[in-house]
Amino acid sequence: YVVSIFLGLGYGVIIDVMQPLIDSLPSGGIPLQAVYFAVSMFIISLGLAMFMRCGMPLLPFDTFMRDMILTYRIPYRNLKTLFDIICLLTSIVLSLLFLDGIVGIGVGTIVSALFTGICTSKMIGLLDRYFVFSPASKVVAHALENGYGAIPVGEQKKVDR
């Protein structure tokens, strides 16, 4: 969990550093924004799938979800979608309470909340079809063998070292 906190801080710094690059992209109206959204959903889903499958430490909320999945055997896409919807509803309520209206929540936010879990779950399945993930570290290998780390989505092939 401590590593997750530092990853979260690093993630925030990267967002701040990349913001000028994102701001420099041409707006191009709804069609170009839809392309940006589709590309970003693909990249986010691939990144989450790789983190989940590799058993790497994630951001604190993803670590919480990984633990819930491993403990209660809830399918990833269901828990991720539920978690994102709860966060979305919380944001709407807080926005209405403190900002006198819904601020910062658009169509992309709603679509993302509904489909990130599904897209990431599909991406995990796709990765499992073409790649075999095995840890290079004996410590990580031991943790994964004992049920800590990678999300169990589909069957993972065994690799002999």
Side-chain angles (χ1 to χ4, degrees):
Y1 289 104
V2 173
V3 173
S4 295
I5 292 170
F6 288 111
L7 282 173
L9 292 172
Y11 183 73
V13 168
I14 290 171
I15 288 175
D16 290 342
V17 168
M18 296 302 290
Q19 192 63 46
L21 176 66
I22 293 168
D23 291 340
S24 71
L25 293 172
S27 63
I30 299 291
L32 194 54
Q33 289 178 1
V35 170
Y36 292 157
F37 182 79
V39 169
S40 68
M41 276 292 282
F42 175 80
I43 292 169
I44 288 169
S45 296
L46 178 62
L48 280 172
M50 292 170 84
F51 268 122
M52 293 292 183
R53 186 44 74 211
C54 292
M56 294 293 292
L58 308 168
L59 298 175
F61 55 88
D62 290 319
T63 303
F64 168 76
M65 286 194 341
R66 181 181 62 197
D67 292 346
M68 292 290 290
I69 291 166
L70 292 171
T71 302
Y72 298 108
R73 300 290 181 208
I74 301 168
Y76 175 81
R77 69 173 181 224
N78 295 351
L79 185 62
K80 175 69 174 156
T81 303
L82 177 65
F83 184 81
D84 287 349
I85 289 171
I86 290 170
C87 288
L88 175 65
L89 293 174
T90 302
S91 297
I92 290 171
V93 168
L94 292 174
S95 182
L96 289 170
L97 285 174
F98 297 110
L99 302 175
D100 297 326
I102 297 175
V103 177
I105 299 169
V107 175
T109 306
I110 296 167
V111 171
S112 180
L114 294 173
F115 293 105
T116 300
I118 294 167
C119 293
T120 303
S121 184
K122 296 281 185 198
M123 194 65 71
I124 290 171
L126 188 67
L127 288 174
D128 285 348
R129 187 177 314 145
Y130 294 104
F131 299 99
V132 175
F133 293 89
S134 63
S137 164
K138 289 181 181 183
V139 173
V140 174
H142 177 72
L144 292 176
E145 287 170 5
N146 290 304
Y148 301 102
I151 298 298
V153 176
E155 289 298 316
Q156 181 75 10
K157 298 177 218 165
K158 295 285 184 187
V159 176
D160 295 324
R161 287 204 172 245

